[in-house]
Amino acid sequence: MEEIFSGGRLGVSLKTMVVAGALLCVALVAYTFADIQRGCDVVLNKTRYMDVQGSKPTLLIAIAFYFVPSRLIHLRQVLMNFESYQSMFRINVTIDTTGTGLNSYLDALQLHLDCQVRNFLNLSDPFNLAGQHRRLFVNTMKNFDWYMYLEDDILIPLKSMKYFVDSFDEVWSKGYSPGFLRVEEVGGKFYASDLLDAQQTMSDSQRFDAGDQQFVSLITPYHAFWILPGSVLQQEGEHLLQNPSCLETRETYASFPWCSLHHRPAVPLLPDGHINPVSWVWHLPNNYAKDGSRRLGKVQILDVAWQHTTYS
């Protein structure tokens, strides 16, 4: 679905180049989902992902960065935002990318983050980058309290992460996952990136209470990232190495709890029926709202209304 889901010195140098080239091929070997099933992996600094001791919960963040220079500005905003997470978590960030030179860029930013870059230069399809976090998460599923996968242009405010953590257990127990709304801002107005219609039809089974909040599952609940606690990942982690029930796409890789574990995202509502801004996350390019040829990104969030149905 288009919118819902991109002799002498010469001899020594040549020998060195051959050896280095062979090592590079091993270290940067690209693997598709089938490769993940076979257990292939990029060289992993396992010591970096050992149990982290401390009073704060730990969070492993995996970012898929499709290497286009114009997207660096979004990645910078995303990483700077994650610096604020350190008030709540001890975090590690892994960035999977389809290009080279990212380490130098990150060094120049002088971020106070534990970051690692993994290069995937020979993927048969660049969008296979979206699946490369899965083996990493399987290999480390006992080492972190929380796991997050996202693309390089999604900014998740700390308050939104706190909402997710606080509401997760109760919402998950009802067969859903705490959801989010991708938001774009153009001209001071806020648009829902992934809604086609302001009128949202829902059934009794799609609306429920959790704690002191009412939740509802949107017609299109996609938001381009997923989060899970390590406790759930340890129970369900084998699904990361299986084909998802949805088609294998960039979007389904970003929807693991929904597509593979069948916990559909649901967003919290305010008493007046509007979507609670605590669940808003930012789609930084704002390109859906700006592009008149796209159907998505044209619904203003304040116009979203609910139409009740009796079917379940």
Side-chain angles (χ1 to χ4, degrees), residues 93-105:
V93 179
T94 290
I95 306 173
D96 293 338
T97 183
T98 52
T100 59
L102 187 57
N103 277 310
S104 298
Y105 177 78

Side-chain angles (χ1 to χ4, degrees), residues 17 27 67 82 86 96 117 120 123 129-130 136 139 160 165 209 218-219 222 224 244-245 272 281 285 306:
M17 290 174 60
F67 201 102
F82 281 138
Q86 295 178 114
D96 293 338
V117 175
F120 296 84
L123 296 174
L129 186 72
L136 172 63
N139 286 345
S160 300
V165 170
D209 292 325
L218 299 168
I219 294 175
Y222 178 71
S245 57
D272 63 6
V281 299
W306 313 102

Side-chain angles (χ1 to χ4, degrees), residues 5-27:
F5 310 136
S6 45
R9 175 176 294 182
L10 179 60
V12 172
S13 299
L14 182 58
K15 180 179 180 180
T16 301
M17 290 174 60
V18 170
V19 173
L23 291 175
L24 186 64
C25 289
V26 173

Side-chain angles (χ1 to χ4, degrees), residues 30-272:
Y31 53 88
T32 61
F33 197 87
D35 294 322
I36 299 176
Q37 288 177 305
R38 290 196 296 270
C40 296
D41 199 5
V42 172
V43 171
L44 177 65
N45 179 6
K46 294 184 183 295
T47 58
R48 178 177 179 272
Y49 301 102
M50 297 303 289
D51 292 312
V52 182
Q53 301 298 320
S55 58
K56 297 176 184 177
T58 53
L59 169 64
L60 176 58
I61 301 169
I63 304 173
F65 176 59
Y66 301 92
F67 201 102
V68 178
S70 62
R71 297 179 71 91
L72 285 169
I73 187 173
H74 306 315
L75 179 64
R76 174 178 176 271
Q77 290 177 271
V78 169
L79 293 173
M80 290 180 67
N81 175 64
F82 281 138
E83 286 189 308
S84 70
Y85 276 45
Q86 295 178 114
S87 64
M88 184 173 173
F89 300 96
R90 298 187 68 180
I91 67 175
N92 298 84
V93 179
T94 290
I95 306 173
D96 293 338
T97 183
T98 52
T100 59
L102 187 57
N103 277 310
S104 298
Y105 177 78
L106 295 177
D107 289 343
L109 292 180
Q110 297 184 330
L111 297 168
H112 300 290
L113 289 174
D114 180 4
C115 269
Q116 171 173 286
V117 175
R118 304 192 303 170
N119 298 297
F120 296 84
L121 305 182
N122 300 304
L123 296 174
S124 58
D125 182 342
F127 288 136
N128 286 339
L129 186 72
Q132 306 311 320
H133 67 283
R134 293 193 164 199
R135 171 60 62 179
L136 172 63
F137 283 7
V138 167
N139 286 345
T140 63
M141 66 172 59
K142 296 182 180 180
N143 301 120
F144 290 85
D145 298 305
W146 293 92
Y147 293 78
M148 176 192 293
Y149 164 74
L150 70 157
E151 294 198 353
D152 53 36
D153 59 2
I154 305 298
L155 191 149
I156 307 164
L158 178 61
K159 68 177 183 179
S160 300
M161 181 62 181
K162 187 176 187 304
Y163 135 74
F164 182 91
V165 170
D166 290 346
S167 60
F168 179 83
D169 286 342
E170 191 157 1
V171 174
W172 191 261
S173 71
K174 295 179 181 293
Y176 288 86
S177 177
F180 300 87
L181 184 72
R182 282 205 300 176
V183 177
E184 301 184 12
E185 181 180 5
V186 177
K189 297 179 179 179
F190 301 105
Y191 297 86
S193 302
D194 302 292
L195 299 186
L196 290 170
D197 197 329
Q199 196 72 23
Q200 293 286 297
T201 302
M202 65 179 178
S203 65
D204 289 334
S205 65
Q206 291 174 294
R207 189 167 186 157
F208 60 91
D209 292 325
D212 59 356
Q213 289 251 58
Q214 189 172 71
F215 284 77
V216 64
S217 186
L218 299 168
I219 294 175
T220 308
Y222 178 71
H223 45 66
F225 67 95
W226 62 266
I227 310 168
L228 278 178
S231 57
V232 171
L233 206 60
Q234 288 182 46
Q235 297 172 6
E236 307 287 355
E238 71 273 9
H239 294 287
L240 282 169
L241 302 183
Q242 297 172 358
N243 292 320
S245 57
C246 307
L247 294 175
E248 292 176 25
T249 66
R250 173 183 178 182
E251 289 77 16
T252 57
Y253 283 128
S255 307
F256 174 66
W258 173 19
C259 285
S260 294
L261 305 184
H262 310 295
H263 282 253
R264 187 180 174 92
V267 294
L269 300 181
L270 295 171
D272 63 6

